[in-house]
Amino acid sequence: MNQLIIECRLTKPVDFKQSKAGDSYAVLSLAQSSKNKAGEWESIYVSATCFKYVAQKCEGLQKGDRVLVSGGIKMNVFQDKMGANRYSINMIAQSLLHITKTAQSGDFADSAADNLAPLNIPIYDTSSPVFTDDLPF
């Protein structure tokens, strides 16, 4: 099975549905944009279907929210009204992570990491010269 990991934005609100068996699921419309070599914006549109626990994580998501989604992909080919072949990328999401913008720094961070303790990074004295004469390489 092909796998896709994509960081993207929701293009419309999450569509919550219910299967015939009574299980709820969510359908996401996603877009990922980047600049090509000519400096023009290009977008890839993906439809993602989320089941069970992943669908529960979709609650509270709104249009424009950034998410990181991974799962299996399938490309569908269909014909439009004019008879031209069209393609769509669909995925079954196996994991979803909501990415939020932190108010203090303006940086994007994973919403689950907001409650983590700060890292204790040691500070080294770089003012003294480093002697490399005795290094074996």
Side-chain angles (χ1 to χ4, degrees), residues 6 16 25 27 34 36-37 46-47 52 63 67 82 85 89 96 99 107 112 122 124 128 133-134:
I6 186 170
F16 291 99
Y25 64 97
V27 178
S34 61
N36 61 15
K37 290 182 181 181
V46 178
S47 175
K52 299 183 181 181
K63 178 181 176 178
V67 291
M82 303 300 284
N85 283 342
I89 302 172
L96 180 132
I99 302 172
D107 294 333
Y124 296 100
S128 61
D133 296 339
D134 61 344

Side-chain angles (χ1 to χ4, degrees), residues 8-11 30 60-67 98-99:
C8 48
R9 290 191 183 270
L10 286 155
T11 60
L30 309 168
L61 291 178
Q62 299 175 0
K63 178 181 176 178
D65 284 351
R66 288 179 49 174
V67 291
H98 183 203
I99 302 172

Side-chain angles (χ1 to χ4, degrees), residues 5-135:
I5 300 171
I6 186 170
E7 180 183 337
C8 48
R9 290 191 183 270
L10 286 155
T11 60
K12 50 180 146 172
V14 179
D15 187 15
F16 291 99
K17 297 183 177 186
Q18 200 153 9
S19 69
K20 293 178 182 178
D23 298 328
S24 61
Y25 64 97
V27 178
L28 307 175
S29 296
L30 309 168
Q32 196 279 331
S33 300
S34 61
K35 286 189 177 182
N36 61 15
K37 290 182 181 181
E40 299 169 352
W41 285 98
E42 292 180 340
S43 296
I44 298 172
Y45 297 96
V46 178
S47 175
T49 305
C50 308
F51 297 98
K52 299 183 181 181
Y53 175 72
V54 181
Q56 291 174 357
K57 291 176 75 174
C58 294
E59 291 180 16
L61 291 178
Q62 299 175 0
K63 178 181 176 178
D65 284 351
R66 288 179 49 174
V67 291
L68 181 68
V69 184
S70 67
I73 62 169
K74 182 180 180 185
M75 180 164 298
N76 293 330
V77 181
F78 61 94
Q79 289 187 346
D80 63 6
K81 294 178 183 178
M82 303 300 284
N85 283 342
R86 298 288 179 176
Y87 303 91
S88 67
I89 302 172
N90 299 318
M91 76 184 292
I92 302 297
Q94 295 170 342
S95 67
L96 180 132
L97 180 65
H98 183 203
I99 302 172
T100 60
K101 189 170 185 176
T102 60
Q104 301 93 354
S105 65
D107 294 333
F108 285 96
D110 133 23
S111 59
D114 291 340
N115 297 326
L116 296 178
L119 296 174
N120 293 324
I121 301 172
I123 299 173
Y124 296 100
D125 180 20
T126 58
S127 61
S128 61
V130 177
F131 299 104
T132 59
D133 296 339
D134 61 344
L135 294 176

